[in-house]
Short mmCIF file of all heavy atoms in Angstrom, two decimals:
data_model
loop_
_atom_site.label_atom_id
_atom_site.label_comp_id
_atom_site.label_asym_id
_atom_site.label_seq_id
_atom_site.Cartn_x
_atom_site.Cartn_y
_atom_site.Cartn_z
N GLU A 245 70.76 101.10 148.49
CA GLU A 245 71.51 102.32 148.78
C GLU A 245 72.69 101.95 149.66
O GLU A 245 72.65 100.96 150.40
CB GLU A 245 70.63 103.37 149.46
CG GLU A 245 70.08 102.96 150.80
CD GLU A 245 69.20 104.04 151.44
OE1 GLU A 245 69.04 105.11 150.83
OE2 GLU A 245 68.68 103.80 152.53
N ILE A 246 73.75 102.76 149.56
CA ILE A 246 74.96 102.44 150.31
C ILE A 246 75.09 103.44 151.46
O ILE A 246 75.80 104.45 151.36
CB ILE A 246 76.19 102.44 149.39
CG1 ILE A 246 75.96 101.47 148.23
CG2 ILE A 246 77.44 102.01 150.16
CD1 ILE A 246 77.10 101.44 147.23
N THR A 247 74.35 103.16 152.51
CA THR A 247 74.45 103.94 153.75
C THR A 247 74.71 102.96 154.88
O THR A 247 74.51 101.74 154.73
CB THR A 247 73.15 104.71 154.02
OG1 THR A 247 72.06 103.76 154.15
CG2 THR A 247 72.82 105.67 152.89
N ARG A 248 75.16 103.47 156.01
CA ARG A 248 75.46 102.61 157.16
C ARG A 248 74.23 101.78 157.55
O ARG A 248 74.32 100.56 157.75
CB ARG A 248 75.92 103.46 158.34
CG ARG A 248 76.42 102.62 159.54
CD ARG A 248 76.93 103.52 160.65
NE ARG A 248 78.01 104.38 160.18
CZ ARG A 248 79.27 104.01 160.10
NH1 ARG A 248 79.63 102.78 160.45
NH2 ARG A 248 80.20 104.85 159.67
N GLU A 249 73.07 102.43 157.63
CA GLU A 249 71.86 101.73 158.05
C GLU A 249 71.47 100.64 157.04
O GLU A 249 71.11 99.53 157.42
CB GLU A 249 70.69 102.72 158.20
CG GLU A 249 70.87 103.76 159.28
CD GLU A 249 71.78 104.93 158.84
OE1 GLU A 249 72.15 104.97 157.64
OE2 GLU A 249 72.13 105.74 159.70
N ALA A 250 71.57 100.99 155.73
CA ALA A 250 71.17 100.03 154.70
C ALA A 250 72.09 98.81 154.68
O ALA A 250 71.63 97.67 154.55
CB ALA A 250 71.17 100.71 153.33
N ILE A 251 73.38 99.04 154.81
CA ILE A 251 74.33 97.92 154.79
C ILE A 251 74.15 97.03 156.02
O ILE A 251 74.13 95.79 155.92
CB ILE A 251 75.78 98.44 154.70
CG1 ILE A 251 75.98 99.25 153.41
CG2 ILE A 251 76.77 97.29 154.76
CD1 ILE A 251 75.69 98.50 152.14
N ARG A 252 74.03 97.65 157.19
CA ARG A 252 73.84 96.85 158.41
C ARG A 252 72.53 96.06 158.36
O ARG A 252 72.47 94.91 158.80
CB ARG A 252 73.86 97.78 159.64
CG ARG A 252 75.23 98.42 159.91
CD ARG A 252 76.26 97.35 160.26
NE ARG A 252 77.60 97.90 160.43
CZ ARG A 252 78.08 98.32 161.60
NH1 ARG A 252 77.34 98.27 162.69
NH2 ARG A 252 79.31 98.80 161.68
N ASP A 253 71.48 96.69 157.80
CA ASP A 253 70.20 95.99 157.69
C ASP A 253 70.30 94.83 156.69
O ASP A 253 69.76 93.75 156.93
CB ASP A 253 69.12 96.99 157.24
CG ASP A 253 67.75 96.33 157.14
OD1 ASP A 253 67.21 95.91 158.18
OD2 ASP A 253 67.23 96.22 156.01
N ALA A 254 71.01 95.07 155.58
CA ALA A 254 71.17 94.01 154.57
C ALA A 254 71.92 92.81 155.12
O ALA A 254 71.64 91.66 154.76
CB ALA A 254 71.89 94.57 153.34
N LEU A 255 72.88 93.06 156.02
CA LEU A 255 73.64 91.96 156.62
C LEU A 255 72.76 91.01 157.41
O LEU A 255 73.03 89.81 157.50
CB LEU A 255 74.72 92.53 157.55
CG LEU A 255 76.07 92.89 156.91
CD1 LEU A 255 76.97 93.54 157.94
CD2 LEU A 255 76.74 91.66 156.31
N THR A 256 71.70 91.55 157.98
CA THR A 256 70.80 90.71 158.80
C THR A 256 69.68 90.08 157.97
O THR A 256 68.86 89.36 158.50
CB THR A 256 70.18 91.55 159.94
OG1 THR A 256 69.42 92.62 159.37
CG2 THR A 256 71.26 92.12 160.84
N HIS A 257 69.61 90.41 156.69
CA HIS A 257 68.54 89.87 155.83
C HIS A 257 69.12 89.27 154.55
O HIS A 257 68.62 89.52 153.45
CB HIS A 257 67.53 90.96 155.48
CG HIS A 257 66.76 91.48 156.65
ND1 HIS A 257 67.20 92.54 157.43
CD2 HIS A 257 65.59 91.07 157.20
CE1 HIS A 257 66.33 92.76 158.39
NE2 HIS A 257 65.34 91.89 158.29
N CYS A 258 70.18 88.51 154.68
CA CYS A 258 70.77 87.86 153.51
C CYS A 258 69.87 86.75 153.00
O CYS A 258 69.02 86.22 153.74
CB CYS A 258 72.15 87.31 153.84
SG CYS A 258 73.39 88.60 154.13
N ARG A 259 70.05 86.37 151.76
CA ARG A 259 69.24 85.32 151.14
C ARG A 259 70.10 84.46 150.24
O ARG A 259 71.32 84.66 150.17
CB ARG A 259 68.09 85.94 150.35
CG ARG A 259 68.56 86.88 149.22
CD ARG A 259 67.42 87.22 148.30
NE ARG A 259 67.72 88.22 147.29
CZ ARG A 259 68.36 87.99 146.15
NH1 ARG A 259 68.80 86.75 145.89
NH2 ARG A 259 68.58 88.95 145.26
N ASP A 260 69.47 83.52 149.54
CA ASP A 260 70.18 82.71 148.56
C ASP A 260 70.12 83.38 147.19
O ASP A 260 69.30 84.27 146.96
CB ASP A 260 69.55 81.31 148.46
CG ASP A 260 69.71 80.53 149.76
OD1 ASP A 260 70.73 80.76 150.44
OD2 ASP A 260 68.83 79.71 150.07
N ILE A 261 70.97 82.92 146.28
CA ILE A 261 70.91 83.42 144.90
C ILE A 261 69.60 82.98 144.27
O ILE A 261 69.17 81.83 144.43
CB ILE A 261 72.11 82.89 144.09
CG1 ILE A 261 73.39 83.58 144.57
CG2 ILE A 261 71.91 83.13 142.60
CD1 ILE A 261 74.65 83.06 143.90
N ASP A 262 68.91 83.90 143.57
CA ASP A 262 67.64 83.61 142.92
C ASP A 262 67.94 83.01 141.54
O ASP A 262 68.26 83.72 140.59
CB ASP A 262 66.82 84.89 142.78
CG ASP A 262 65.40 84.62 142.32
OD1 ASP A 262 65.19 83.62 141.61
OD2 ASP A 262 64.50 85.41 142.69
N ASN A 263 67.81 81.69 141.44
CA ASN A 263 68.18 81.00 140.19
C ASN A 263 67.26 81.34 139.02
O ASN A 263 67.68 81.28 137.87
CB ASN A 263 68.20 79.49 140.42
CG ASN A 263 69.40 79.06 141.26
OD1 ASN A 263 70.52 79.51 141.02
ND2 ASN A 263 69.17 78.23 142.26
N ARG A 264 66.01 81.72 139.31
CA ARG A 264 65.10 82.09 138.21
C ARG A 264 65.55 83.40 137.57
O ARG A 264 65.49 83.56 136.35
CB ARG A 264 63.67 82.21 138.72
CG ARG A 264 63.05 80.86 139.10
CD ARG A 264 61.58 80.97 139.36
NE ARG A 264 61.27 81.97 140.39
CZ ARG A 264 60.06 82.14 140.90
NH1 ARG A 264 59.04 81.40 140.49
NH2 ARG A 264 59.84 83.05 141.83
N VAL A 265 66.00 84.32 138.39
CA VAL A 265 66.50 85.59 137.86
C VAL A 265 67.78 85.35 137.06
O VAL A 265 67.99 85.93 135.99
CB VAL A 265 66.76 86.60 139.01
CG1 VAL A 265 67.44 87.85 138.49
CG2 VAL A 265 65.45 86.96 139.70
N VAL A 266 68.65 84.46 137.57
CA VAL A 266 69.88 84.10 136.85
C VAL A 266 69.52 83.48 135.50
O VAL A 266 70.13 83.80 134.47
CB VAL A 266 70.74 83.13 137.68
CG1 VAL A 266 71.91 82.62 136.86
CG2 VAL A 266 71.24 83.81 138.94
#
Side-chain angles (χ1 to χ4, degrees):
E245 62 180 359
I246 305 177
T247 60
R248 187 177 302 277
E249 296 80 7
I251 299 302
R252 292 296 176 91
D253 182 65
L255 273 175
T256 60
H257 295 89
C258 291
R259 60 168 173 80
D260 294 329
I261 289 176
D262 190 331
N263 287 315
R264 290 190 304 188
V265 173
V266 172

